[in-house]
Amino acid sequence: GAGVSQTPSNKVTEKGKYVELRCDPISGHTALYWYRQSLGQGPEFLIYFQGTGAADDSGLPNDRFFAVRPEGSVSTLKIQRTERGDSAVYLCASSPDPRDRVYNEQFFGPGTRLTVL
Amino acid sequence: GENVEQHPSTLSVQEGDSAVIKCTYSDSASNYFPWYKQELGKGPQLIIDIRSNVGEKKDQRIAVTLNKTAKHFSLHITETQPEDSAVYFCAASTVRTGRRALTFGSGTRLQVQP
């Protein structure tokens, strides 16, 4: 079946602009995660949704970052007043309902490469 | 919070040899340890995972071991092939407190020389 999809695959913007990144999780997966991966590093957690609500947003670096998942499926990560340091690959992952499971397999999409000039 | 350290950062082996990547973690509450393979320009792909109630798990040429007492786990790849060349990440998480975040290591770049 279809995996996690993310659009756009690449986004170039100028410092100070607003960007939106989209994630379509695997059908039927209720949990959705956003991670950020800088060059040469492992992914770093940003936010986790269970259904429509953000269950854990402890990884968001500051209030310029915000994410929504209004219908419990597609999610959008929004970054205001972008800075050059925001340049990274933004990864989305999804899981089957973790409330039914003890463990937490996460399946990743291909990512969106964001470049802030 | 959890801290995961991974080594080596790079590993070069000859085709057919074995490769071993090691990780340590800090949070004794962690109970789930996945390994991901990431090829250039792609997202991480889950290749194997191990749970805290198991000491070893094998899937064809890939095996993972876990030592909860020492808080370390390892990935073993036997009979390596050129297509195994990629960056490998270990990760750890716990669901006990309701957090689902994976904490990743910094990655190992594996190169298999034909």
Side-chain angles (χ1 to χ4, degrees):
Chain A
V4 177
S5 62
Q6 294 186 244
T7 54
S9 55
N10 282 282
K11 176 70 177 178
V12 180
T13 191
E14 294 180 344
K15 181 177 179 297
K17 299 291 188 181
Y18 168 82
V19 297
E20 289 189 352
L21 312 178
R22 175 188 168 108
C23 172
D24 279 270
I26 294 171
S27 179
H29 281 191
T30 60
L32 185 147
Y33 314 80
W34 284 99
Y35 290 80
R36 178 168 70 174
Q37 186 175 26
S38 299
L39 192 62
Q41 300 296 317
E44 294 180 314
F45 171 75
L46 295 176
I47 187 170
Y48 151 58
F49 286 90
Q50 177 55 47
T52 60
D56 180 1
D57 64 358
S58 62
L60 294 177
N62 52 60
D63 61 6
R64 296 187 297 106
F65 288 75
F66 188 70
V68 296
R69 195 186 185 201
E71 298 179 355
S73 178
V74 170
S75 177
T76 304
L77 178 66
K78 308 180 180 194
I79 310 174
Q80 298 177 321
R81 305 182 304 280
T82 52
E83 300 177 356
R84 294 192 179 88
D86 299 335
S87 296
V89 174
Y90 289 80
L91 294 163
C92 177
S94 69
S95 289
D97 190 343
R99 295 171 299 182
D100 295 336
R101 308 165 72 87
V102 178
Y103 303 101
N104 185 30
E105 301 103 323
Q106 297 183 24
F107 301 94
F108 282 81
T112 294
R113 181 174 298 278
L114 175 66
T115 302
V116 182
L117 301 177
Chain B
E2 175 68 282
N3 182 51
V4 176
E5 295 191 355
Q6 180 173 351
H7 59 94
S9 57
T10 60
L11 180 58
S12 182
V13 300
Q14 292 292 320
E15 182 177 359
D17 287 350
S18 295
V20 180
I21 302 170
K22 298 182 179 182
C23 290
T24 59
Y25 62 98
S26 61
D27 187 350
S28 57
S30 288
N31 58 0
Y32 176 64
F33 307 92
W35 287 88
Y36 287 85
K37 175 183 181 182
Q38 188 172 30
E39 297 175 321
L40 192 62
K42 297 185 178 180
Q45 175 193 3
L46 179 65
I47 56 172
I48 195 168
D49 57 19
I50 192 165
R51 291 105 191 251
S52 60
N53 58 346
V54 175
E56 184 173 355
K57 181 177 178 180
K58 188 173 182 180
D59 182 4
Q60 299 183 344
R61 296 186 296 108
I62 294 173
V64 58
T65 59
L66 171 65
N67 183 328
K68 287 215 72 179
T69 302
K71 291 196 276 218
H72 65 71
F73 56 114
S74 300
L75 177 71
H76 304 250
I77 306 174
T78 59
E79 301 172 19
T80 53
Q81 301 167 2
E83 51 265 40
D84 294 329
S85 296
V87 179
Y88 291 80
F89 291 96
C90 62
S93 77
T94 176
V95 299
R96 292 182 190 175
T97 60
R99 296 194 70 232
R100 312 290 175 177
L102 291 173
T103 301
F104 284 82
S106 55
T108 296
R109 182 174 299 279
L110 174 64
Q111 187 161 12
V112 180
Q113 307 284 355

